[in-house]
mmCIF file of all heavy atoms in Angstrom:
data_model
loop_
_atom_site.group_PDB
_atom_site.id
_atom_site.type_symbol
_atom_site.label_atom_id
_atom_site.label_comp_id
_atom_site.label_asym_id
_atom_site.label_seq_id
_atom_site.Cartn_x
_atom_site.Cartn_y
_atom_site.Cartn_z
ATOM 1 N N GLY Q 1042 152.251 74.376 71.681
ATOM 2 C CA GLY Q 1042 153.448 74.823 70.988
ATOM 3 C C GLY Q 1042 153.142 75.915 69.986
ATOM 4 O O GLY Q 1042 152.038 76.454 69.941
ATOM 5 N N GLU Q 1043 154.155 76.230 69.198
ATOM 6 C CA GLU Q 1043 154.030 77.288 68.202
ATOM 7 C C GLU Q 1043 154.628 76.860 66.871
ATOM 8 O O GLU Q 1043 155.577 76.082 66.853
ATOM 9 C CB GLU Q 1043 154.723 78.570 68.707
ATOM 10 C CG GLU Q 1043 156.151 78.366 69.156
ATOM 11 C CD GLU Q 1043 156.737 79.597 69.821
ATOM 12 O OE1 GLU Q 1043 156.235 80.001 70.887
ATOM 13 O OE2 GLU Q 1043 157.699 80.144 69.243
ATOM 14 N N PRO Q 1044 154.042 77.338 65.739
ATOM 15 C CA PRO Q 1044 152.809 78.113 65.652
ATOM 16 C C PRO Q 1044 151.678 77.438 66.438
ATOM 17 O O PRO Q 1044 151.780 76.265 66.767
ATOM 18 C CB PRO Q 1044 152.508 78.146 64.154
ATOM 19 C CG PRO Q 1044 153.811 77.860 63.472
ATOM 20 C CD PRO Q 1044 154.544 76.951 64.398
ATOM 21 N N SER Q 1045 150.624 78.208 66.697
ATOM 22 C CA SER Q 1045 149.589 77.779 67.646
ATOM 23 C C SER Q 1045 149.131 76.346 67.407
ATOM 24 O O SER Q 1045 148.609 76.004 66.340
ATOM 25 C CB SER Q 1045 148.388 78.716 67.550
ATOM 26 O OG SER Q 1045 148.712 79.988 68.056
ATOM 27 N N ILE Q 1046 149.338 75.519 68.423
ATOM 28 C CA ILE Q 1046 148.897 74.127 68.347
ATOM 29 C C ILE Q 1046 148.579 73.631 69.756
ATOM 30 O O ILE Q 1046 149.252 73.986 70.726
ATOM 31 C CB ILE Q 1046 149.965 73.227 67.679
ATOM 32 C CG1 ILE Q 1046 149.393 71.826 67.441
ATOM 33 C CG2 ILE Q 1046 151.248 73.167 68.494
ATOM 34 C CD1 ILE Q 1046 150.264 70.951 66.556
ATOM 35 N N LEU Q 1047 147.514 72.832 69.849
ATOM 36 C CA LEU Q 1047 147.092 72.215 71.107
ATOM 37 C C LEU Q 1047 146.742 70.763 70.828
ATOM 38 O O LEU Q 1047 145.901 70.465 69.969
ATOM 39 C CB LEU Q 1047 145.878 72.951 71.683
ATOM 40 C CG LEU Q 1047 145.199 72.311 72.900
ATOM 41 C CD1 LEU Q 1047 146.136 72.284 74.095
ATOM 42 C CD2 LEU Q 1047 143.909 73.057 73.242
ATOM 43 N N LEU Q 1048 147.413 69.847 71.538
ATOM 44 C CA LEU Q 1048 147.162 68.424 71.402
ATOM 45 C C LEU Q 1048 146.641 67.869 72.726
ATOM 46 O O LEU Q 1048 147.031 68.318 73.797
ATOM 47 C CB LEU Q 1048 148.439 67.687 71.009
ATOM 48 C CG LEU Q 1048 149.135 68.149 69.724
ATOM 49 C CD1 LEU Q 1048 150.440 67.407 69.522
ATOM 50 C CD2 LEU Q 1048 148.226 67.963 68.514
ATOM 51 N N HIS Q 1049 145.767 66.836 72.624
ATOM 52 C CA HIS Q 1049 145.111 66.287 73.811
ATOM 53 C C HIS Q 1049 145.082 64.775 73.702
ATOM 54 O O HIS Q 1049 144.887 64.216 72.619
ATOM 55 C CB HIS Q 1049 143.681 66.851 73.895
ATOM 56 C CG HIS Q 1049 142.919 66.381 75.088
ATOM 57 N ND1 HIS Q 1049 141.646 65.847 74.999
ATOM 58 C CD2 HIS Q 1049 143.244 66.357 76.413
ATOM 59 C CE1 HIS Q 1049 141.213 65.534 76.205
ATOM 60 N NE2 HIS Q 1049 142.155 65.828 77.081
ATOM 61 N N THR Q 1050 145.322 64.090 74.824
ATOM 62 C CA THR Q 1050 145.230 62.638 74.871
ATOM 63 C C THR Q 1050 144.480 62.215 76.117
ATOM 64 O O THR Q 1050 144.558 62.876 77.159
ATOM 65 C CB THR Q 1050 146.627 61.987 74.859
ATOM 66 O OG1 THR Q 1050 146.477 60.557 74.891
ATOM 67 C CG2 THR Q 1050 147.454 62.407 76.064
ATOM 68 N N THR Q 1051 143.743 61.112 76.005
ATOM 69 C CA THR Q 1051 143.058 60.539 77.166
ATOM 70 C C THR Q 1051 143.530 59.113 77.427
ATOM 71 O O THR Q 1051 142.984 58.431 78.299
ATOM 72 C CB THR Q 1051 141.524 60.545 76.962
ATOM 73 O OG1 THR Q 1051 141.204 59.839 75.760
ATOM 74 C CG2 THR Q 1051 140.997 61.976 76.890
ATOM 75 N N ASP Q 1052 144.549 58.677 76.673
ATOM 76 C CA ASP Q 1052 145.040 57.303 76.825
ATOM 77 C C ASP Q 1052 146.555 57.270 77.016
ATOM 78 O O ASP Q 1052 147.248 56.427 76.462
ATOM 79 C CB ASP Q 1052 144.628 56.447 75.628
ATOM 80 C CG ASP Q 1052 145.048 57.059 74.285
ATOM 81 O OD1 ASP Q 1052 145.893 57.979 74.287
ATOM 82 O OD2 ASP Q 1052 144.529 56.606 73.249
ATOM 83 N N SER Q 1053 147.051 58.218 77.813
ATOM 84 C CA SER Q 1053 148.472 58.292 78.172
ATOM 85 C C SER Q 1053 149.391 58.544 76.974
ATOM 86 O O SER Q 1053 150.582 58.270 77.044
ATOM 87 C CB SER Q 1053 148.911 57.011 78.899
ATOM 88 O OG SER Q 1053 148.227 56.876 80.113
ATOM 89 N N GLY Q 1054 148.826 59.037 75.872
ATOM 90 C CA GLY Q 1054 149.650 59.357 74.720
ATOM 91 C C GLY Q 1054 149.663 58.294 73.646
ATOM 92 O O GLY Q 1054 150.373 58.443 72.648
ATOM 93 N N ALA Q 1055 148.891 57.233 73.811
ATOM 94 C CA ALA Q 1055 148.803 56.232 72.748
ATOM 95 C C ALA Q 1055 148.241 56.863 71.488
ATOM 96 O O ALA Q 1055 148.617 56.500 70.362
ATOM 97 C CB ALA Q 1055 147.934 55.059 73.196
ATOM 98 N N SER Q 1056 147.365 57.850 71.650
ATOM 99 C CA SER Q 1056 146.840 58.622 70.521
ATOM 100 C C SER Q 1056 146.681 60.074 70.958
ATOM 101 O O SER Q 1056 146.404 60.348 72.124
ATOM 102 C CB SER Q 1056 145.496 58.050 70.046
ATOM 103 O OG SER Q 1056 144.522 58.138 71.084
ATOM 104 N N TRP Q 1057 146.880 60.987 70.016
ATOM 105 C CA TRP Q 1057 146.755 62.410 70.280
ATOM 106 C C TRP Q 1057 145.775 63.026 69.295
ATOM 107 O O TRP Q 1057 145.827 62.728 68.101
ATOM 108 C CB TRP Q 1057 148.113 63.118 70.133
ATOM 109 C CG TRP Q 1057 149.134 62.703 71.148
ATOM 110 C CD1 TRP Q 1057 150.007 61.662 71.059
ATOM 111 C CD2 TRP Q 1057 149.387 63.320 72.412
ATOM 112 N NE1 TRP Q 1057 150.794 61.580 72.182
ATOM 113 C CE2 TRP Q 1057 150.436 62.590 73.026
ATOM 114 C CE3 TRP Q 1057 148.835 64.414 73.086
ATOM 115 C CZ2 TRP Q 1057 150.941 62.926 74.282
ATOM 116 C CZ3 TRP Q 1057 149.336 64.749 74.341
ATOM 117 C CH2 TRP Q 1057 150.369 64.012 74.924
ATOM 118 N N SER Q 1058 144.888 63.878 69.792
ATOM 119 C CA SER Q 1058 143.957 64.601 68.927
ATOM 120 C C SER Q 1058 144.300 66.084 68.957
ATOM 121 O O SER Q 1058 144.728 66.606 69.992
ATOM 122 C CB SER Q 1058 142.505 64.387 69.379
ATOM 123 O OG SER Q 1058 142.321 64.835 70.714
ATOM 124 N N ARG Q 1059 144.116 66.725 67.808
ATOM 125 C CA ARG Q 1059 144.401 68.155 67.725
ATOM 126 C C ARG Q 1059 143.133 68.958 67.989
ATOM 127 O O ARG Q 1059 142.083 68.690 67.400
ATOM 128 C CB ARG Q 1059 144.973 68.511 66.355
ATOM 129 C CG ARG Q 1059 145.364 69.972 66.239
ATOM 130 C CD ARG Q 1059 146.197 70.233 65.007
ATOM 131 N NE ARG Q 1059 146.578 71.637 64.937
ATOM 132 C CZ ARG Q 1059 147.378 72.142 64.004
ATOM 133 N NH1 ARG Q 1059 147.876 71.347 63.050
ATOM 134 N NH2 ARG Q 1059 147.677 73.422 64.009
ATOM 135 N N ILE Q 1060 143.224 69.939 68.888
ATOM 136 C CA ILE Q 1060 142.085 70.776 69.244
ATOM 137 C C ILE Q 1060 142.293 72.167 68.641
ATOM 138 O O ILE Q 1060 143.326 72.799 68.888
ATOM 139 C CB ILE Q 1060 141.932 70.876 70.770
ATOM 140 C CG1 ILE Q 1060 141.685 69.478 71.352
ATOM 141 C CG2 ILE Q 1060 140.808 71.831 71.153
ATOM 142 C CD1 ILE Q 1060 141.625 69.445 72.863
ATOM 143 N N PRO Q 1061 141.352 72.659 67.856
ATOM 144 C CA PRO Q 1061 141.511 73.979 67.225
ATOM 145 C C PRO Q 1061 141.576 75.088 68.265
ATOM 146 O O PRO Q 1061 140.897 75.043 69.300
ATOM 147 C CB PRO Q 1061 140.260 74.110 66.359
ATOM 148 C CG PRO Q 1061 139.741 72.714 66.190
ATOM 149 C CD PRO Q 1061 140.106 71.988 67.446
ATOM 150 N N LEU Q 1062 142.402 76.090 67.981
ATOM 151 C CA LEU Q 1062 142.503 77.282 68.812
ATOM 152 C C LEU Q 1062 142.037 78.492 68.017
ATOM 153 O O LEU Q 1062 142.234 78.562 66.800
ATOM 154 C CB LEU Q 1062 143.944 77.492 69.286
ATOM 155 C CG LEU Q 1062 144.477 76.483 70.308
ATOM 156 C CD1 LEU Q 1062 145.980 76.669 70.497
ATOM 157 C CD2 LEU Q 1062 143.752 76.634 71.640
ATOM 158 N N SER Q 1063 141.456 79.453 68.708
ATOM 159 C CA SER Q 1063 140.946 80.651 68.051
ATOM 160 C C SER Q 1063 142.080 81.453 67.414
ATOM 161 O O SER Q 1063 143.166 81.589 67.993
ATOM 162 C CB SER Q 1063 140.195 81.530 69.055
ATOM 163 O OG SER Q 1063 139.874 82.787 68.485
ATOM 164 N N GLU Q 1064 141.836 81.982 66.224
ATOM 165 C CA GLU Q 1064 142.816 82.843 65.572
ATOM 166 C C GLU Q 1064 142.990 84.157 66.325
ATOM 167 O O GLU Q 1064 143.963 84.868 66.112
ATOM 168 C CB GLU Q 1064 142.392 83.118 64.133
ATOM 169 C CG GLU Q 1064 142.386 81.872 63.246
ATOM 170 C CD GLU Q 1064 142.002 82.194 61.825
ATOM 171 O OE1 GLU Q 1064 141.670 83.378 61.550
ATOM 172 O OE2 GLU Q 1064 142.020 81.269 60.990
ATOM 173 N N LYS Q 1065 142.044 84.473 67.212
ATOM 174 C CA LYS Q 1065 142.129 85.701 68.001
ATOM 175 C C LYS Q 1065 142.883 85.510 69.312
ATOM 176 O O LYS Q 1065 142.967 86.444 70.114
ATOM 177 C CB LYS Q 1065 140.710 86.215 68.291
ATOM 178 C CG LYS Q 1065 139.933 86.611 67.044
ATOM 179 C CD LYS Q 1065 138.551 87.141 67.397
ATOM 180 C CE LYS Q 1065 137.773 87.528 66.150
ATOM 181 N NZ LYS Q 1065 136.418 88.049 66.488
ATOM 182 N N LEU Q 1066 143.425 84.332 69.523
ATOM 183 C CA LEU Q 1066 144.183 84.072 70.744
ATOM 184 C C LEU Q 1066 145.350 85.052 70.846
ATOM 185 O O LEU Q 1066 146.174 85.149 69.934
ATOM 186 C CB LEU Q 1066 144.725 82.639 70.734
ATOM 187 C CG LEU Q 1066 145.508 82.200 71.969
ATOM 188 C CD1 LEU Q 1066 144.568 81.954 73.129
ATOM 189 C CD2 LEU Q 1066 146.316 80.928 71.668
ATOM 190 N N PRO Q 1067 145.424 85.826 71.937
ATOM 191 C CA PRO Q 1067 146.543 86.767 72.087
ATOM 192 C C PRO Q 1067 147.854 86.036 72.339
ATOM 193 O O PRO Q 1067 147.982 85.291 73.303
ATOM 194 C CB PRO Q 1067 146.140 87.628 73.280
ATOM 195 C CG PRO Q 1067 145.107 86.850 74.011
ATOM 196 C CD PRO Q 1067 144.481 85.906 73.058
ATOM 197 N N GLY Q 1068 148.810 86.230 71.447
ATOM 198 C CA GLY Q 1068 150.076 85.539 71.578
ATOM 199 C C GLY Q 1068 149.988 84.101 71.106
ATOM 200 O O GLY Q 1068 149.002 83.670 70.487
ATOM 201 N N LEU Q 1069 151.025 83.332 71.411
ATOM 202 C CA LEU Q 1069 151.098 81.920 71.041
ATOM 203 C C LEU Q 1069 151.054 81.058 72.293
ATOM 204 O O LEU Q 1069 151.529 81.478 73.351
ATOM 205 C CB LEU Q 1069 152.394 81.650 70.276
ATOM 206 C CG LEU Q 1069 152.578 82.406 68.966
ATOM 207 C CD1 LEU Q 1069 153.996 82.216 68.433
ATOM 208 C CD2 LEU Q 1069 151.552 81.955 67.938
ATOM 209 N N PRO Q 1070 150.495 79.849 72.215
ATOM 210 C CA PRO Q 1070 150.481 78.974 73.386
ATOM 211 C C PRO Q 1070 151.891 78.774 73.924
ATOM 212 O O PRO Q 1070 152.830 78.522 73.167
ATOM 213 C CB PRO Q 1070 149.899 77.669 72.846
ATOM 214 C CG PRO Q 1070 149.102 78.077 71.653
ATOM 215 C CD PRO Q 1070 149.842 79.231 71.051
ATOM 216 N N ASN Q 1071 152.044 78.880 75.243
ATOM 217 C CA ASN Q 1071 153.368 78.848 75.859
ATOM 218 C C ASN Q 1071 153.499 77.711 76.870
ATOM 219 O O ASN Q 1071 154.393 76.883 76.781
ATOM 220 C CB ASN Q 1071 153.640 80.198 76.528
ATOM 221 C CG ASN Q 1071 155.046 80.302 77.063
ATOM 222 O OD1 ASN Q 1071 155.945 79.603 76.615
ATOM 223 N ND2 ASN Q 1071 155.243 81.176 78.037
ATOM 224 N N THR Q 1072 152.594 77.672 77.857
ATOM 225 C CA THR Q 1072 152.604 76.604 78.863
ATOM 226 C C THR Q 1072 151.221 75.984 78.972
ATOM 227 O O THR Q 1072 150.207 76.623 78.675
ATOM 228 C CB THR Q 1072 153.035 77.115 80.251
ATOM 229 O OG1 THR Q 1072 152.004 77.979 80.776
ATOM 230 C CG2 THR Q 1072 154.349 77.882 80.173
ATOM 231 N N ILE Q 1073 151.185 74.736 79.404
ATOM 232 C CA ILE Q 1073 149.917 74.041 79.652
ATOM 233 C C ILE Q 1073 150.065 73.245 80.937
ATOM 234 O O ILE Q 1073 151.127 72.670 81.203
ATOM 235 C CB ILE Q 1073 149.535 73.113 78.475
ATOM 236 C CG1 ILE Q 1073 148.120 72.568 78.628
ATOM 237 C CG2 ILE Q 1073 150.546 72.009 78.299
ATOM 238 C CD1 ILE Q 1073 147.047 73.529 78.217
ATOM 239 N N LEU Q 1074 149.017 73.244 81.765
ATOM 240 C CA LEU Q 1074 149.028 72.481 83.012
ATOM 241 C C LEU Q 1074 147.725 71.712 83.126
ATOM 242 O O LEU Q 1074 146.644 72.306 83.131
ATOM 243 C CB LEU Q 1074 149.176 73.406 84.223
ATOM 244 C CG LEU Q 1074 149.156 72.708 85.586
ATOM 245 C CD1 LEU Q 1074 150.395 71.828 85.767
ATOM 246 C CD2 LEU Q 1074 149.060 73.723 86.723
ATOM 247 N N ALA Q 1075 147.809 70.386 83.193
ATOM 248 C CA ALA Q 1075 146.633 69.556 83.409
ATOM 249 C C ALA Q 1075 146.161 69.727 84.849
ATOM 250 O O ALA Q 1075 146.955 69.610 85.782
ATOM 251 C CB ALA Q 1075 146.961 68.095 83.126
ATOM 252 N N LEU Q 1076 144.882 70.021 85.026
ATOM 253 C CA LEU Q 1076 144.325 70.280 86.360
ATOM 254 C C LEU Q 1076 143.468 69.138 86.869
ATOM 255 O O LEU Q 1076 143.279 69.008 88.082
ATOM 256 C CB LEU Q 1076 143.499 71.565 86.332
ATOM 257 C CG LEU Q 1076 144.242 72.861 85.998
ATOM 258 C CD1 LEU Q 1076 143.266 74.031 85.933
ATOM 259 C CD2 LEU Q 1076 145.326 73.137 87.035
ATOM 260 N N GLY Q 1077 142.926 68.331 85.984
ATOM 261 C CA GLY Q 1077 142.030 67.258 86.384
ATOM 262 C C GLY Q 1077 141.279 66.767 85.167
ATOM 263 O O GLY Q 1077 141.595 67.153 84.037
#
């Protein structure tokens, strides 16, 4: 989401951890797709 934020869970959302994103990231996070 925006402002730049990335959240990750490994337990179906029972808990969420925030993962830092680079300040040099071009633009703001828009879409995310879990691949595996």
Side-chain angles (χ1 to χ4, degrees):
E1043 52 188 64
S1045 291
I1046 188 169
L1047 172 64
L1048 303 175
H1049 181 230
T1050 181
T1051 57
D1052 54 15
S1053 296
S1056 62
W1057 294 88
S1058 59
R1059 183 167 181 176
I1060 299 176
L1062 290 170
S1063 171
E1064 295 182 356
K1065 297 181 180 180
L1066 182 74
L1069 299 171
N1071 186 23
T1072 69
I1073 189 80
L1074 178 67
L1076 297 177

